[in-house]
Amino acid sequence: MKVLIAGGGTGGHLYPGIALAEEVVTRHHANQVVFVGTTRGLEARVVPREGYPLETIQARGLKGKGLVGFIQGLFALPMSFIESFRILRRHKPDVVVGVGGYSSGPVVLAAALLGIPTAVQEQNALPGLTNKLLGKFVRVVFTAFEGASAFFPAGKVQLVGNPIRRKLMDNFLRSNAPHETFSLLVFGGSLGARGINQRMLDALDHLGDLKGQLKIVHQTGKNDLETVRQGYAAKGFDAEVVEFIDDMSSAYALASLVVCRAGATTLAELMVAKKASILIPFPFATDNHQEVNAQALVGSGAALMFRESELSGEKLASEIRRLKNEPERLRQMEKKAGLMGRPEAAKELADVLVDLMVKKYGPDGRAEARGEDPRAKKPGGSKKPKPEGGNSSSGSNEKQV
Ligand SMILES: CC(=O)N[C@H]1[C@@H](OP(=O)(O)OP(=O)(O)OC[C@H]2O[C@@H](n3ccc(=O)[nH]c3=O)[C@H](O)[C@@H]2O)O[C@H](CO)[C@@H](O)[C@@H]1O
């Protein structure tokens, strides 16, 4: 089985794709997974490191980019379709899955037009325009929030949750032991969040008496690293301040409380990790979708949510203090988050993809069309390869998985 995963840009789109790739490679009959993204997205760094080949196309966004960005996006469209057709003809995948982000649209649409079984995975409670359009062409739409289903043709929707990377899952499935020191994990999605960085620094002014009683890990994103580091130092707080957290699994495990945005993949992780959280949605997300994501957790008592515009540092400090002083409340939030988690998302999604392939091409998929010997295929999947450097150029780095 050969699976092509299109999309990325940010971690919220890319990481569910990585989780799906891990699943189909280790537990299913997939012997090859190929990603398609752009050279500007996070995938250019992460996909080769994870050991999968990456093809790139020139896709750009259309919405929220201003007039110049919109025009650039329009001009890039025809080329991105041509590139998508070429990639699909070369790789002959058995199924194509879009995980959102600029490259998802042209690749998934081109695949659907070529008659290849296609699916999209919508992470958010409020789907973006591209996925709403693609929903009309693909065979299956995977959703993660009940509310999202209403935006797609009813018969196509499968509510499975957002797939979570294996290294996180392995840790999450272990116990959620209480911590000796109250530990805060502060992060702003895959890119960091200035609004959270500023409010957290302001909050420190009101948490002075807790200095020795708080452990803080704070991810800032690229631009604010030094400012935030200096802020903690100037206010006399000992914190681990980093630009990006590679090992989110340990970061979650060590946290008593998480302060973060409400990106859909983050929320899926919080639920499976059974973590209490204070959510501060990104106020400029398309159609305010992060607030809608957050409401699902708030509604069930798993999280608190504050709009950035209404949240002062003082208020954030008082909420942190309150939760620290009410361990039983924190436990209840953790329990409620856990009840919403969907640890089987990657598995359920992969099962459906195998069905799609078998229905269309039979159990060997298009192996023969690709010049492979189907009898050489090992049921149960083969092992993932070791990364072979960071080549992310188009076309030249395909590797048997
Ligand atoms: C600004 C914007 O539009 N953001 C969108 C983007 O968010 P974004 O890319 O921030 O996505 P999420 O918050 O959903 O997920 C972040 C992912 O990055 C990982 N991580 C994060 C920080 C870090 O230091 N290290 C790390 O590995 C997290 O574990 C998680 O897997 O995609 C999400 C999923 O479609 C959307 O809900 C968000 O609205």
Side-chain angles (χ1 to χ4, degrees):
M1 175 173 170
K2 184 167 189 174
V3 182
L4 190 143
I5 299 172
T10 66
H13 296 301
L14 178 65
Y15 289 139
I18 298 278
L20 170 64
E22 291 169 341
E23 181 69 24
V24 293
V25 165
T26 53
R27 291 243 287 266
H28 285 270
H29 303 289
N31 51 6
Q32 291 177 65
V33 176
V34 178
F35 280 78
V36 184
T38 70
T39 51
R40 302 179 310 281
L42 185 66
E43 58 274 19
R45 182 163 63 84
V46 170
V47 168
R49 196 180 68 194
E50 293 290 324
Y52 303 100
L54 173 71
E55 296 275 8
T56 55
I57 63 172
Q58 291 175 36
R60 304 184 84 93
L62 292 174
K63 226 178 157 185
K65 304 281 157 196
L67 185 62
V68 176
F70 181 77
I71 292 169
Q72 283 176 331
L74 270 188
F75 274 104
L77 258 183
M79 190 36 132
S80 60
F81 273 107
I82 292 168
E83 290 171 316
S84 301
F85 280 114
R86 279 191 194 136
I87 290 169
L88 292 165
R89 290 226 162 88
R90 191 163 59 243
H91 287 283
K92 300 186 178 61
D94 298 304
V95 278
V96 172
V97 189
V99 290
Y102 306 146
S103 50
S104 187
V107 178
V108 174
L109 188 55
L113 293 175
L114 290 173
I116 301 167
T118 47
V120 286
Q121 196 257 328
E122 173 54 63
Q123 293 99 28
N124 294 287
L126 216 50
L129 181 66
T130 311
N131 270 355
K132 280 194 268 186
L133 289 173
L134 288 177
K136 299 185 198 312
F137 297 92
V138 298
R139 302 199 185 179
V140 179
V141 178
F142 296 106
T143 56
F145 290 88
E146 269 181 37
S149 307
F151 294 88
F152 299 105
K156 294 184 180 181
V157 175
Q158 303 242 5
L159 177 61
V160 296
N162 285 322
I164 293 173
R165 289 168 286 162
R166 182 153 293 200
K167 55 189 168 202
L168 276 79
M169 281 301 305
D170 289 347
N171 223 357
F172 292 169
L173 296 174
R174 292 194 210 118
S175 70
N176 200 3
H179 307 98
E180 269 176 36
T181 310
F182 191 81
S183 305
L184 276 180
L185 168 62
V186 184
F187 76 102
S190 58
L191 305 175
R194 176 152 293 170
I196 290 185
N197 294 342
Q198 285 169 344
R199 273 153 195 80
M200 192 57 212
L201 288 183
D202 291 346
L204 298 181
D205 294 333
H206 307 275
L207 293 170
D209 57 312
L210 297 183
K211 255 177 209 168
Q213 302 169 44
L214 283 181
K215 253 196 213 159
I216 306 176
V217 174
H218 187 140
Q219 173 255 27
T220 60
K222 207 173 187 169
N223 298 325
D224 289 352
L225 179 64
E226 276 318 310
T227 318
V228 176
R229 249 187 204 153
Q230 285 164 15
Y232 276 96
K235 291 167 199 265
F237 278 82
D238 189 19
E240 190 183 331
V241 182
V242 294
E243 177 186 325
F244 187 80
I245 302 170
D246 279 319
D247 183 4
M248 281 302 284
S249 169
S250 304
Y252 282 123
L254 295 172
S256 318
L257 173 66
V258 182
V259 177
C260 60
R261 289 285 190 221
T265 304
T266 293
L267 298 190
E269 292 166 358
L270 289 172
M271 293 187 273
V272 178
K274 305 184 190 68
K275 289 293 161 185
S277 54
I278 295 179
L279 304 175
I280 309 165
F282 176 53
F284 306 109
T286 317
D287 303 324
N288 205 12
H289 67 251
Q290 286 206 358
E291 191 172 317
V292 186
N293 291 345
Q295 270 152 4
L297 277 82
V298 174
S300 71
L304 302 179
M305 181 198 81
F306 298 96
R307 291 193 186 102
E308 191 172 290
S309 58
E310 296 164 4
L311 182 68
S312 64
E314 186 174 2
K315 172 82 177 147
L316 177 58
S318 83
E319 294 299 331
I320 292 171
R321 181 188 299 278
R322 203 149 62 88
L323 287 171
K324 179 181 179 302
N325 291 337
E326 293 178 27
E328 187 43 39
R329 180 146 179 250
L330 211 60
R331 291 294 88 76
Q332 286 303 318
M333 288 170 77
E334 289 172 349
K335 203 166 148 198
K336 285 169 179 163
L339 289 173
M340 297 177 77
R342 287 183 167 262
E344 299 286 295
K347 183 176 177 300
E348 289 177 29
L349 214 147
D351 285 346
V352 175
L353 296 185
V354 173
D355 278 356
L356 283 182
M357 177 194 79
V358 173
K359 267 192 205 133
K360 170 87 184 184
Y361 301 113
D364 294 327
R366 303 167 84 190
E368 268 183 65
R370 290 191 294 267
E372 297 162 6
D373 178 1
R375 285 162 302 176
K377 179 172 64 83
K378 291 193 196 91
S382 53
K383 270 184 93 78
K384 211 173 86 174
K386 287 270 170 266
E388 281 177 14
N391 179 5
S392 65
S393 64
S394 193
S396 60
N397 58 347
E398 185 178 352
K399 191 165 38 172
Q400 193 81 15
V401 186

